[in-house]
Amino acid sequence: MKRIVTVMFAILFVGTQLFAQKEFTAKIDQATVYLRGAALTHTASASLKSGTYDILINGLSPDISVSSLKVSANGVLISASEFSNDFITPKEESARIKKLQDSLELYKRQLDEADNELEVHSHLLQILTDGTLNNMRQKEGTVSVADINANMELYKSKAGALQHSIDQDNQKINTLKKTISRLQKQLDQDNIDQQRTGVLRLSVSVPQAINTTFTVTYFTDLASWVPCYDINITSMDKPVVLKSKAQVTQITGLDWNNVKLTLSNATPNRTKEAPVFKTWFINFYNPRPLYKQSSTSSALSNSVSYKVASNEGVSTTDGYATSARGTHTPSAPLTMDDFVDVDMQEVHVNYNISVPYDIPGNGKEQLIDLKSYNIKAEYKYYSAPKLSDETYLIATLSDYEQYNLLPGYATVTFDNTFVGKTFLRPNATEEHISLTLTTDPRISVKREKRSEYCSTKHVGSTTAVTLSYQITVKNNQTKTAKLTLKEQYPISSNKDIEVKVTEVTPEATYNKTETGVLTWDVEMKAGETRTFNVTYVVKYPKDRNINL
């Protein structure tokens, strides 16, 4: 009998082990953010006895690419997995959202109390008014003057205080409503719909008791980053300081707290097959009426590989650098250059940031500093007096290809003055990047028509128009200035119109005949004045008009 009981207990124990269920919350440790999408890595520590388990890992993003999902754990066998969304379990809100919600509830309670106070004071005032009028309308006898005065004094003393309380109540109510409205708008903005979370269900076999860590990686489309830049020019005798930055956003349904962040310009899940020719058959056909045809595009996906980096970070406290080991070393002011490692791959660039980051899931842009570069620059003045009578200072950047910059907007500061925004296209075919910094009235440029050289003549059936211009440039600075000066002449788009340039003095550095643009690159000494002359003749049929 004892043997039978022991066997039954053993069977019950095994059955319990077969159907044991464990639940863990996964913490996001690493995020590799691409220009579109992100690869997230979660970990969950687990202590398991030998047996078979049905394990739930929650805390994942609800919107993922299921085909990219990978899970691993040392010392256990994962035989099956299933991803789903949990719409029932209340999601833990962030500290900021909790604070907003608590503040909103507090002010709503205060508003209810203020409404009640207003109702009480208004009701008391109405009772006082009705009582006073009733005392003044006695049906029997005559109300004496003394009674009237007594009622008036009572009403005056009580009604004034009640009306003052009512005014204060209304003012308080209006203030509370405005505060509640602001809090609600902020909460609506920050609290993206996060009422569901991703849950991973695993069937796990454990040969022997073990402490292990489940690592879950997957790809999601709901994150991105955009490169941008700050360009700072302190003076014309120093290199340009270009600071690269990143605008990171994510609405993955999770707040990324203390996350190891990597930014990459790779394009996972966007691989396309190289096009190949198919046989091009031609045949006769009967024309048919045009009609609209809908088109669909198929998305190709590929697996994404992930690399888990260490979680060591650096924080700063009271001007000291604190390493992961807790030692303190006096240091100069830190910049992100010390904590961003640029990893040049074959076809893409990764920015590995050693400082852990918090990226909220509210979709707001988080601006992150990356690397700073000193870039060579050449400064020239530029003038096209036919288009503008101002002279512009241009900075031309060179040797920037080595930094693998990405296209993006840049704010430009010159001599501690905000100049404006420009768009950098480092992947364009041009060898240089040109930035317009400011206008400089000290380089004066004047363009005038030389009337004595201009004429209109009619010879037979042809009209010949001669136009001539003189450009006068003066350097009013106390130093030599490099200047690029441009002038234009017309280009014929009709065989019956002939254009001939008869004078260019001095000879232009460049003459782009296909666009009709003359360029002089000159150096002008301090106080120097120079003139540039251009004359051209346009011939066309006398009975026709042209837009000259």
Side-chain angles (χ1 to χ4, degrees):
M1 182 68 181
K2 182 177 180 182
R3 179 181 178 85
I4 295 175
V5 172
T6 304
V7 171
M8 291 180 62
F9 272 112
I11 293 174
L12 288 173
F13 175 76
V14 172
T16 303
Q17 290 294 299
L18 286 174
F19 294 100
Q21 187 178 76
K22 295 277 190 177
E23 183 173 348
F24 304 99
T25 299
K27 176 185 178 297
I28 177 170
D29 293 323
Q30 182 180 3
T32 299
V33 184
Y34 304 97
L35 297 177
R36 287 188 60 189
L40 304 184
T41 300
H42 296 253
T43 57
S45 299
S47 179
L48 301 174
K49 297 180 180 179
S50 62
T52 302
Y53 294 90
D54 182 20
I55 289 182
L56 296 180
I57 298 180
N58 53 42
L60 309 179
S61 172
D63 294 287
I64 74 170
S65 174
V66 178
S67 60
S68 70
L69 183 64
K70 297 179 181 179
V71 59
S72 63
N74 293 330
V76 301
L77 174 64
I78 302 174
S79 57
S81 64
E82 174 190 302
F83 179 82
S84 61
N85 283 331
D86 181 3
F87 294 88
I88 299 175
T89 304
K91 185 176 180 297
E92 183 178 355
E93 303 290 356
S94 67
R96 175 176 172 80
I97 297 299
K98 285 182 178 178
K99 184 176 180 180
L100 286 172
Q101 290 175 337
D102 292 344
S103 298
L104 192 60
E105 290 299 322
L106 173 63
Y107 284 110
K108 284 183 177 179
R109 287 196 299 269
Q110 292 180 1
L111 179 60
D112 291 339
E113 292 173 0
D115 284 333
N116 292 335
E117 290 289 331
L118 175 62
E119 184 177 356
V120 169
H121 291 143
S122 298
H123 190 55
L124 289 175
L125 180 61
Q126 187 63 46
I127 292 175
L128 177 64
T129 302
D130 293 343
T132 302
L133 291 175
N134 186 55
N135 291 337
M136 305 276 288
R137 296 171 181 170
Q138 293 183 6
K139 296 180 179 180
E140 298 179 358
T142 303
V143 180
S144 66
V145 174
D147 291 336
I148 294 175
N149 290 333
N151 279 280
M152 294 292 288
E153 288 297 327
L154 176 64
Y155 183 83
K156 181 179 179 180
S157 62
K158 297 294 184 181
L162 288 172
Q163 187 61 54
H164 179 69
S165 298
I166 290 173
D167 293 341
Q168 286 185 323
D169 293 338
N170 283 319
Q171 183 178 0
K172 185 176 181 180
I173 289 171
N174 290 334
T175 301
L176 288 171
K177 285 182 176 179
K178 290 178 181 179
T179 302
I180 290 172
S181 177
R182 290 196 299 268
L183 285 171
Q184 189 64 58
K185 288 179 180 179
Q186 189 68 48
L187 186 62
D188 292 341
Q189 176 180 268
D190 292 355
N191 193 19
I192 304 296
D193 182 16
Q194 298 179 356
Q195 298 307 312
R196 57 193 177 103
T197 58
V199 177
L200 183 62
R201 182 185 297 272
L202 305 175
S203 295
V204 173
S205 297
V206 183
Q208 59 184 7
I210 190 174
N211 293 325
T212 188
T213 298
F214 287 91
T215 301
V216 183
T217 61
Y218 55 85
F219 181 85
T220 175
D221 283 315
L222 302 182
S224 64
W225 76 282
V226 176
C228 57
Y229 304 93
D230 279 345
I231 298 176
N232 186 29
I233 303 172
T234 56
S235 64
M236 295 171 59
D237 58 350
K238 293 182 180 179
V240 172
V241 179
L242 185 146
K243 179 180 291 185
S244 58
K245 297 186 175 184
Q247 294 175 340
V248 182
T249 58
Q250 64 98 355
I251 50 173
T252 60
L254 307 171
D255 287 332
W256 302 354
N257 297 319
N258 204 36
V259 168
K260 173 70 172 61
L261 191 63
T262 297
L263 305 177
S264 175
N265 68 335
T267 54
N269 210 31
R270 300 290 183 273
T271 302
K272 296 182 179 180
E273 294 182 0
V276 295
F277 284 112
K278 295 182 179 180
T279 306
W280 181 10
F281 295 102
I282 62 173
N283 203 342
F284 297 105
Y285 79 102
N286 295 320
R288 296 179 180 177
L290 295 176
Y291 64 97
K292 293 184 178 180
Q293 182 178 3
S294 62
S295 62
T296 59
S297 60
S298 61
L300 301 178
S301 62
N302 68 310
S303 61
V304 184
S305 61
Y306 309 104
K307 179 181 178 183
V308 180
S310 66
N311 292 323
E312 292 184 354
V314 178
S315 61
T316 58
T317 306
D318 298 331
Y320 287 84
T322 305
S323 68
R325 297 178 177 86
T327 58
H328 295 274
T329 304
S331 63
L334 300 177
T335 65
M336 285 301 296
D337 292 81
D338 302 317
F339 307 106
V340 178
D341 175 56
V342 181
D343 182 15
M344 305 288 185
Q345 300 292 326
E346 289 292 334
V347 294
H348 62 269
V349 180
N350 290 339
Y351 296 92
N352 300 314
I353 305 174
S354 60
V355 178
Y357 265 90
D358 292 347
I359 309 293
N362 55 16
K364 290 185 177 180
E365 293 181 347
Q366 306 296 311
L367 191 61
I368 297 176
D369 288 346
L370 299 176
K371 281 287 189 180
S372 295
Y373 307 102
N374 291 329
I375 299 180
K376 294 180 181 178
E378 181 182 10
Y379 299 91
K380 283 186 177 181
Y381 291 94
Y382 171 88
S383 179
K386 183 183 178 183
L387 304 177
S388 172
D389 57 0
E390 293 187 300
T391 302
Y392 300 85
L393 178 59
I394 306 292
T396 303
L397 311 186
S398 58
D399 295 336
Y400 60 86
E401 300 89 349
Q402 58 184 308
Y403 304 119
N404 289 287
L405 303 178
L406 300 172
Y409 282 98
T411 58
V412 183
T413 303
F414 175 62
D415 194 20
N416 294 322
T417 302
F418 174 70
V419 173
K421 294 183 69 174
T422 187
F423 192 84
L424 295 187
R425 294 180 176 85
N427 56 353
T429 56
E430 290 81 3
E431 297 180 358
H432 306 285
I433 297 176
S434 294
L435 303 174
T436 301
L437 302 180
T438 184
T439 59
D440 194 336
R442 295 175 299 174
I443 307 293
S444 61
V445 180
K446 186 177 182 182
R447 181 178 185 265
E448 299 175 295
K449 181 183 285 188
R450 298 196 295 172
S451 301
E452 65 273 21
Y453 296 98
C454 299
S455 64
T456 301
K457 297 180 180 179
H458 302 284
V459 180
S461 61
T462 300
T463 296
V465 177
T466 301
L467 294 174
S468 184
Y469 296 91
Q470 183 175 84
I471 302 172
T472 304
V473 182
K474 184 178 181 181
N475 180 13
N476 297 301
Q477 297 187 96
T478 58
K479 59 182 179 180
T480 300
K482 293 182 178 180
L483 172 69
T484 295
L485 180 68
K486 290 185 179 289
E487 178 58 19
Q488 184 183 34
Y489 59 87
I491 298 296
S492 174
S493 59
N494 190 295
K495 62 182 181 63
D496 294 328
I497 302 175
E498 178 187 346
V499 179
K500 184 178 181 181
V501 179
T502 59
E503 178 190 14
V504 177
T505 56
E507 183 179 354
T509 309
Y510 306 103
N511 181 3
K512 291 190 175 182
T513 56
E514 66 276 11
T515 59
V517 176
L518 298 165
T519 302
W520 292 273
D521 286 332
V522 297
E523 285 192 8
M524 299 189 63
K525 298 179 181 179
E528 182 182 4
T529 300
R530 299 180 66 174
T531 58
F532 303 83
N533 299 321
V534 177
T535 303
Y536 53 86
V537 180
V538 181
K539 296 181 179 180
Y540 59 94
K542 185 170 61 176
D543 58 344
R544 304 291 296 275
N545 296 319
I546 62 173
N547 58 335
L548 188 60

